[in-house]
Amino acid sequence: MESLLGFMETTSSFDVDVDVDRSCDYKLVPWLTWDEWDLVRDSLFSSSPHSITLSLQRITVWRSRGCLPIVIEVTASIVEIQQKDPFFRVDLGDDALDSEEMLTMLYCMAIVRLVNGVVEKTRKKTEVSIAEAADAINIPRMLIDIRHEGSHRDLPSLRLVRLASIKALDWLKSYYWELQKKAIPFQSDGIGSLRKEIKYRLCELAFWLKIKHTKGSSPSLAKGKRTKHCEQLCGRN
């Protein structure tokens, strides 16, 4: 649950509320409501360049507020690079980034940021290596190799980092976006159950207000009237 300032209940290392039962603290997030977060998620992975642009602009606003989870930051970076890559968008025209070396460096930088920012937070440095920590969260080994090559050796080919960007987005969807979507409070059946409960309570309140001044009714008779009246107002379901 979050306030208008964006406070939410969470337990994950990446400000993701994926385990409500174990939640014990609050962290500040840059979005105001879960509806806003979900709209950005939906637009970010859409096929509409206009929707993608709007979602990237909203994430820029979130970044300016601080406390942006690294998984969102890296997702936006990779999507933004792809939007400048003529391989992913043939309609770019003059907005395309034609330099293959520059595209390769941008992709590498985003992947390095992903591996360092995500994996480093999940491992104990004195106990396991980055590769072992990456295996524990099922991050593609290709991303680990590209991070190593881009940091210590020659840059990988553009074809390879393009493929890696696709794998990175697929992993980010399953690791963060889909899990967080499922963990949004009062979602799916929870909303339906809550609405039914509120509706029933309102019917019950209306009934008791109606018979408030009735005298001489026995408890069993009043209960029977209440049930029958609520069924008439709300239906048996």
Side-chain angles (χ1 to χ4, degrees):
M1 297 283 288
E2 79 284 353
S3 71
L4 291 179
L5 291 178
F7 285 100
M8 60 176 287
E9 203 168 345
T10 180
T11 59
S12 169
S13 300
F14 308 105
D15 302 321
V16 184
D17 187 14
V18 296
D19 191 350
V20 178
D21 292 336
R22 297 189 304 165
S23 59
C24 58
D25 63 339
Y26 290 87
K27 291 187 178 180
L28 189 65
V29 294
W31 49 89
L32 299 180
T33 66
W34 283 115
D35 287 337
E36 179 187 2
W37 179 93
D38 194 37
L39 180 61
V40 168
R41 178 200 62 82
D42 189 55
S43 300
L44 193 61
F45 298 109
S46 72
S47 58
S48 168
H50 177 68
S51 297
I52 294 174
T53 299
L54 292 179
S55 66
L56 292 175
Q57 290 174 351
R58 175 51 53 181
I59 291 176
T60 299
V61 174
W62 291 355
R63 188 180 291 110
S64 69
R65 295 171 181 167
C67 59
L68 182 67
I70 183 64
V71 283
I72 296 182
E73 181 181 337
V74 174
T75 303
S77 296
I78 295 175
V79 170
E80 187 172 8
I81 297 168
Q82 288 184 347
Q83 290 298 296
K84 294 293 185 181
D85 188 346
F87 177 82
F88 292 100
R89 283 192 60 186
V90 296
D91 61 332
L92 282 173
D94 295 336
D95 293 332
L97 188 56
D98 295 325
S99 172
E100 292 191 1
E101 183 179 4
M102 183 61 67
L103 280 172
T104 303
M105 291 181 65
L106 289 173
Y107 280 124
C108 282
M109 186 182 300
I111 292 171
V112 169
R113 179 76 171 134
L114 167 61
V115 175
N116 289 348
V118 175
V119 177
E120 287 288 353
K121 285 189 176 183
T122 64
R123 78 182 186 109
K124 296 179 180 179
K125 296 181 181 180
T126 58
E127 296 182 6
V128 297
S129 65
I130 288 183
E132 292 172 327
D135 288 339
I137 58 177
N138 296 320
I139 191 170
R141 184 54 187 259
M142 172 187 283
L143 303 183
I144 305 300
D145 293 339
I146 288 178
R147 177 254 185 195
H148 180 77
E149 294 291 326
S151 300
H152 305 291
R153 299 182 181 178
D154 294 335
L155 287 176
S157 67
L158 179 57
R159 181 189 63 82
L160 186 62
V161 293
R162 278 172 173 160
L163 177 60
S165 72
I166 297 174
K167 289 185 175 294
L169 288 180
D170 288 341
W171 181 80
L172 286 164
K173 287 179 186 178
S174 62
Y175 180 74
Y176 170 74
W177 294 96
E178 292 175 0
L179 288 179
Q180 181 65 89
K181 169 68 175 177
K182 293 177 182 178
I184 293 178
F186 303 115
Q187 198 179 12
S188 303
D189 293 339
I191 292 181
S193 300
L194 182 62
R195 286 176 177 170
K196 289 179 182 179
E197 178 69 16
I198 292 174
K199 189 175 182 181
Y200 181 82
R201 295 301 179 187
L202 289 175
C203 292
E204 189 177 41
L205 177 61
F207 170 77
W208 282 111
L209 288 175
K210 184 176 181 180
I211 66 170
K212 180 179 179 180
H213 301 294
T214 300
K215 297 180 180 180
S217 297
S218 64
S220 60
L221 180 61
K223 182 178 180 181
K225 288 182 178 180
R226 179 183 66 182
T227 303
K228 183 177 180 181
H229 187 71
C230 287
E231 288 178 356
Q232 290 175 346
L233 289 177
C234 305
R236 292 183 180 273
N237 291 330

